[in-house]
Amino acid sequence: MSEGSRGGSLAFGQVVIGPPGSGKTTYCHAMREFLGRLGRSVAVVNLDPANEALPCPCALDVAELVTLPDVMDSLGLGPNGGLIYCMEYLEANADWLRDKLQGLRGHYVLFDCPGQVELYTHHESLKNVFGQLAKWNFRLAAVHLVDSHYCTDPGKFISVLCTSLSTMLHVELPHVNVLSKMDLIEQYGKLAFNLDYYTEVLDLSYLVDHLASDPFFRNFRRLNEKLVEVIEDYSLVSFVPLNVQDKQSMRQVMQAVDKANGYSFGDQEHRSLEALMSAAVGADFHFSSTLAVQEKYVQSQDKAVEEEVMDL
């Protein structure tokens, strides 16, 4: 009997990845609640051995196998080295993970992963764990969360694009990039371009020109041009905006992920989704989430300008 056949029937889910502070744990529990309302049996699996303050109980916690504080204390490692060791230990004990996951068959699984960027750009252990999950008949999509405030800084946004592209190429899973915390983006300043410029990753030469207006970045124009060429040559990176408080936004992300991992919902779930969205917006939802978020962002900026004028 092959390893894949021992895994049983197909299971669908998401591996939620991204830098520290991008909102992975918040996303997992918000998506669990959202999908639960549609009738899906959802389980959250914590694969982050450094996550000691889980907001809600998880169906499975890697802390039962290994924790970062224990590794740091026993081996004298720092946080980064300790986290890499934990992932290597998880890979070496894949049988433990497989046995634990057997009890979650029939569930849609959200894997809450660590926040160390190296684990997704060049280290092999977590990538190999994802490969094992595929052999056990899990059909997964990688949901890569990036804090939306990076859009307000062109230099940082180019770095985010490079990191996202590197992650997509290394992890080797169907991939959905998400700009998280869209409800907070106006706190970080005005965007240089419309929001769809960032979500669709349009002509990046404008971004290079914008950077060149800064005396510091002017010296690195050639480097930025080459980085942009790499991103555009692959033509893989785009983003879905996310506000976990907004059902419209959650729906947009859910549909993108369902398309990526192959999950197709039945008539009953479709009716539940339409009922949920009708309750949320008072009518059928026909416009894109990006345009909706952009409209809210523009309104908040206009209001801020009006308040400044009134103060004068």
Side-chain angles (χ1 to χ4, degrees):
M1 182 179 294
S2 67
E3 188 176 12
S5 62
R6 288 198 304 268
S9 59
L10 285 178
F12 291 88
Q14 309 173 21
V15 293
V16 183
I17 62 179
S22 56
K24 297 183 293 298
T25 300
T26 300
Y27 167 85
C28 285
H29 292 283
M31 184 58 73
R32 179 179 68 173
E33 181 179 349
F34 184 80
L35 295 178
R37 292 180 180 179
L38 302 181
R40 297 192 199 182
S41 298
V42 184
V44 176
V45 173
N46 177 44
L47 291 184
D48 185 359
N51 197 347
E52 299 178 306
L54 297 173
C56 298
C58 292
L60 173 59
D61 191 348
V62 73
E64 300 173 20
L65 176 69
V66 62
T67 66
L68 180 59
D70 288 344
V71 169
M72 293 173 61
D73 291 341
S74 60
L75 300 180
L77 296 173
N80 291 338
L83 192 52
I84 289 176
Y85 178 89
C86 289
M87 291 300 99
E88 292 174 346
Y89 190 80
L90 176 62
E91 179 189 4
N93 290 273
D95 289 345
W96 173 88
L97 181 61
R98 182 186 60 194
D99 293 342
K100 291 290 186 178
L101 290 173
Q102 288 296 330
L104 300 181
R105 285 295 169 177
H107 288 74
Y108 186 98
V109 185
L110 303 172
F111 294 91
D112 187 2
C113 298
Q116 190 172 352
V117 174
E118 296 96 311
L119 296 173
Y120 313 117
T121 57
H122 58 270
H123 195 262
E124 297 291 329
S125 290
L126 202 54
K127 171 186 174 181
N128 293 337
V129 171
F130 296 158
Q132 287 293 334
L133 291 170
K135 292 180 180 178
W136 302 334
N137 285 335
F138 279 90
R139 298 297 178 261
L140 301 172
V143 179
H144 183 219
L145 269 61
V146 175
D147 198 316
S148 60
H149 86 266
Y150 290 119
C151 294
T152 61
D153 187 318
K156 291 181 180 178
F157 186 66
I158 289 180
S159 299
V160 163
L161 292 174
C162 292
T163 302
S164 299
L165 177 60
S166 178
T167 300
M168 295 176 75
L169 296 176
H170 181 73
V171 171
E172 296 181 348
L173 282 176
H175 210 92
V176 177
N177 292 303
V178 174
L179 285 176
S180 63
K181 307 180 184 179
M182 288 302 303
D183 53 319
L184 303 177
I185 188 172
E186 64 269 14
Q187 298 181 8
Y188 298 100
K190 185 175 178 60
L191 298 179
F193 306 98
N194 286 338
L195 184 61
D196 59 349
Y197 177 86
Y198 300 92
T199 57
E200 301 303 322
V201 189
L202 302 175
D203 188 352
L204 295 179
S205 62
Y206 293 104
L207 204 61
V208 175
D209 292 339
H210 187 75
L211 276 173
S213 63
D214 188 309
F216 175 78
F217 286 106
R218 188 179 301 129
N219 297 326
F220 302 95
R221 182 185 180 98
R222 184 61 175 164
L223 173 62
N224 289 325
E225 288 175 347
K226 289 301 180 181
L227 290 175
V228 162
E229 284 179 15
V230 171
I231 296 165
E232 292 184 330
D233 285 348
Y234 278 95
S235 190
L236 291 175
V237 184
S238 62
F239 295 94
V240 181
L242 172 66
N243 172 8
V244 296
Q245 306 297 330
D246 187 347
K247 291 184 177 66
Q248 301 168 2
S249 179
M250 292 292 287
R251 175 190 179 178
Q252 186 81 359
V253 174
M254 181 201 71
Q255 290 179 329
V257 176
D258 284 350
K259 182 178 179 181
N261 66 12
Y263 183 93
S264 58
F265 49 81
D267 292 337
Q268 181 177 358
E269 182 175 289
H270 182 74
R271 289 194 296 270
S272 298
L273 176 61
E274 292 301 321
L276 181 63
M277 294 309 302
S278 295
V281 301
D284 291 337
F285 179 62
H286 292 305
F287 54 91
S288 73
S289 177
T290 299
L291 292 177
V293 174
Q294 172 68 18
E295 182 179 359
K296 293 177 182 178
Y297 174 78
V298 171
Q299 289 174 350
S300 68
Q301 290 296 317
D302 292 343
K303 183 178 179 181
V305 172
E306 291 177 0
E307 291 177 350
E308 291 179 2
V309 172
M310 292 297 294
D311 292 338
L312 295 176

